[in-house]
Amino acid sequence: MNVNTESRIAIVTGASRGIGAAVARRLGRDGFIVVVNYAGGAQAAGGVVREIEAAGGKAITAQADVSKAADVRRLFDTVEEVYGGIDVLVNNAGVMALSTVAELKDEDFDRLFDINVKGSYNTMREAAKRLRNGGRIVNFSSSVVGLLQPGYAPYAATKAAIEATTRILARELRGRAITVNAVAPGPTATDLFLDGKSAELIDHLAKLAPLERLGTPDDIAAAVAFLAGPDGGWINGQVLRANGGII
Ligand code: NAP
């Protein structure tokens, strides 16, 4: 077990599948005690905990819909009760909906902002108050903030809000040795990216980056582990695009 991260407690939101599950497994391997948050995927979250334990790590599941402030307060209360404190928040939970501005449905706009923005704010607010000195916050943006493809505006708007907030929160937490950064993945092979796209479109998007493939959840987990771990300690208020060079 890594002595630098031993007994450090990390909450990973939306860790039942996709990138969040890979982050949880990676942080578990790096020696963090991992809180595997999920909204509806209890079984999948349980599976992630069992994988972490099978690899010699420690983890628990914790249900909370991040868009609900009361759920998030309960999540942080529970983790403090069980482990005595929180060191790392990985704000991974997120959803995507594609629409032009002209065709945007109110319910899609509300869902995107409720989960991606309000959800991240709910967890950042608790983390800002409760994280132990020396802690880390890793938010999730997306490379679409730079790519600017038609159809991505409402989703990109939620992630642009997170990038601005990341930089400001890093300044607000002055004096506590807490870093706040964001990871901005490019196209990554998860349900969020793959659902609803044709094989041709997936192939086209995969080839856009000079590295000519989709990212994997483990690629993104490696960037998060860097920012959450001892080697990332001097990085603060930054957005790290992990995307094979697509932008
Ligand atoms: P995913 O495969 O769809 O997984 C989403 C995860 O978020 C699931 O574990 C889900 O849990 C959880 N979740 C959804 N709503 C939630 C809520 N209200 N409260 C708590 N958890 C919730 O997505 P992903 O591709 O891994 O995306 C992870 C992050 O990376 C997101 O912030 C996304 O915007 C960002 N990102 C992804 C890509 C990509 O290409 N995949 C690119 C750029 C950025 P349940 O199953 O329990 O609902």
Side-chain angles (χ1 to χ4, degrees), residues 180-196:
V180 188
N181 295 289
V183 171
T188 307
T190 68
D191 297 344
L192 178 143
F193 171 76
L194 298 168
D195 283 358

Side-chain angles (χ1 to χ4, degrees), residues 22 183 188 213-224 242:
V183 171
T188 307
R213 65 171 176 84
L214 294 178
T216 66
D218 285 344
D219 289 328
I220 310 306
V224 173

Side-chain angles (χ1 to χ4, degrees), residues 64-76 118-119 121-123 125-126 130:
D65 176 343
V66 294
S67 70
K68 297 184 177 149
D71 276 25
V72 171
R73 276 195 294 275
R74 176 174 46 75
L75 168 68
F76 277 70
K118 201 207 287 175
Y121 262 83
N122 285 336
T123 52
R125 177 167 54 195
E126 295 309 314
R130 306 194 201 201

Side-chain angles (χ1 to χ4, degrees), residues 179-241:
T179 67
V180 188
N181 295 289
V183 171
T188 307
T190 68
D191 297 344
L192 178 143
F193 171 76
L194 298 168
D195 283 358
K197 293 192 176 78
S198 67
E200 293 73 33
L201 180 58
I202 290 167
D203 193 50
H204 167 73
L205 293 170
K207 294 276 161 49
L208 289 181
L211 296 186
E212 295 192 310
R213 65 171 176 84
L214 294 178
T216 66
D218 285 344
D219 289 328
I220 310 306
V224 173
F226 166 64
L227 293 171
D231 290 343
W234 193 232
I235 315 295
N236 193 20
Q238 306 300 313
V239 177
L240 177 56
R241 285 183 176 160

Side-chain angles (χ1 to χ4, degrees), residues 11-15 34-39 42 45-46 49 59-65 71 74-76 78-79:
I11 297 175
V12 184
T13 67
V34 185
V35 179
V36 176
N37 161 253
Y38 64 96
V49 166
I60 54 165
T61 60
Q63 196 281 336
D65 176 343
D71 276 25
R74 176 174 46 75
L75 168 68
F76 277 70
T78 304
V79 177

